[in-house]
Amino acid sequence: MNKNVVVIVGTKWGDEGKGKIAAHEAKDAKVVIRATGGNNAGHTIIYKGQKLPLHLVPGGITNPNTTCIIGPGVVIDLEVLLSEIELLKTCGIEDINSRLKISGRAHVILPYHKELDELYENLKEHPVGTTKRGIGPCYADKINRIGIRIYDTLLSPNKLEEKISEAVKIHNQEFKNNNMEYAIVDSKTLAKQYTEYGKLLKDYITDVNPIISKAIENNDKIVVEGAQAFRLDLDHGDYPMVTSSNPVVSGTLCGSALPPQALNVVIGVDKAYNSRVGNGPFPTELPASIDKNGNVIENAKPKEGDIIRELGHEYGTTTKRPRRCGWLDCPILRSAKFTSGIDYLCLNHLDTLGQIGLKLGYVKVCTSYKYKGQIINYYPDDINLTNEIPEPIYETLNGGWTIDSFCKTYEELPELAKRFIEIIEQASGIPVKYLGTGPENDDLIIRDNI
Ligand code: GDP
Ligand code: IMO
Ligand code: MG
């Protein structure tokens, strides 16, 4: 079998800049696939100078020769998808009708999933801090075999109504028990509405397997644009503070309908500092003026975390929440390398870290942890049991740097930035092949000799 698949995955808690490298890799790709999650993701790409925050459609859509697939592993909010298609058309992106394909096996996020997401978060003593987009409840219905699939929106309203009625028997009871009468589902109205969406989307809905198998047969490049990231993985992340899908490489292959033998290269994506939205452990997190509801405290004296957030514009693409910020964590990279078989690293925001260094007078990188009295270089599995967050051991570099727009090779980078990259390569065991030096698509240094 031809090995023509490049998978791009996040290595931390999301928002590492996957959209940008995915758009770059898509330039010579025939097919780009989104495999996991839904509109909890927000991937920023720049198209003709405009910022495009995409939540469902792969960033490869900006390349006129690429077919973009929303794979069977994705959960889709049809209203969000329809407005995203409109936005892309308004931006002048052509042939969307023939280039965007939606797997009929993907599942549909319905309004009651969003209500349930809100309800479950409100009932918890330790909420996950979900995006409240209905992701978890939609996947839960899929696993309970009461999910509504994209194919179902092509049924008659009566047939879809039957399926929805079956699905909401228990949910309606939950709404009643929690005084949420307003959320009780009227299956008939919903079925009518969603079969209308089905009509609007019918040209995009298809069996994606023939497209993928033909691309493999022809040895055409296929790119998987991973969403979310390693530490948010349902099985390999910080359970229960995770998302409800498997964004590690094996999960993305499953969610794309790709045979593992076709895998060629895995690109892990990270930032030169780290960030997290939502709750859960973050060993290298820095203090910041954010209250317990996740809002920035106005007029407070800026702490290290606030300085990184402001310089990196670290506010959620999807929810606009301020992101928690901290230093880059190499032990997690080493664990991500193992779980996802990462070949190369794409390290974004090297420019921002330089500015952070100039402002603070130093930058740090976590090279190992102290955990249970030992020095370790991987992310431990049992922190829920020990209640101990691994203590970062840092290497510190004094000063910062500025990356000029004419700097297009690794050799031209400031010495301190190169030293920073060497430390990461050594501590993580992953060669840094791609370097993000700014938000624009061209702000990318590629080391061809790696
Ligand atoms: P994704 O979810 O992994 O695709 O990442 P997001 O789009 O949520 O967040 C990444 C943000 O960083 C976006 O606003 C990008 O435009 C921006 N970005 C990506 N790479 C770089 C870089 O190298 N430098 C700077 N300054 N910004 C970058
Ligand atoms: P991209 O692809 C950052 C996080 C949420 C929350 C947890 C569970 O843009 O990197 P969910 O709504 O999925 O049930 O929330 O997962 N989360 C992300 N954080 N980037 C993402 O995607 C995320 N997708 C989910 O913030 O902590
Ligand atoms: Mg994002």
Side-chain angles (χ1 to χ4, degrees), residues 98-123:
S98 61
R99 293 193 296 113
L100 177 64
K101 307 285 172 193
I102 304 166
S103 168
R105 280 179 284 142
H107 280 243
V108 181
I109 297 178
L110 288 136
Y112 53 84
H113 293 129
K114 289 182 258 187
E115 297 288 358
L116 290 168
D117 203 350
E118 177 100 34
L119 171 65
Y120 298 154
E121 282 286 274
N122 290 342
L123 289 176

Side-chain angles (χ1 to χ4, degrees), residues 15-20 42-44 317 323 349 351-352 436-439:
D15 306 324
E16 298 92 347
K18 297 177 290 294
K20 187 175 123 177
H43 295 182
T44 316
T317 314
R323 294 172 180 156
H349 280 276
D351 54 321
T352 311
T437 55

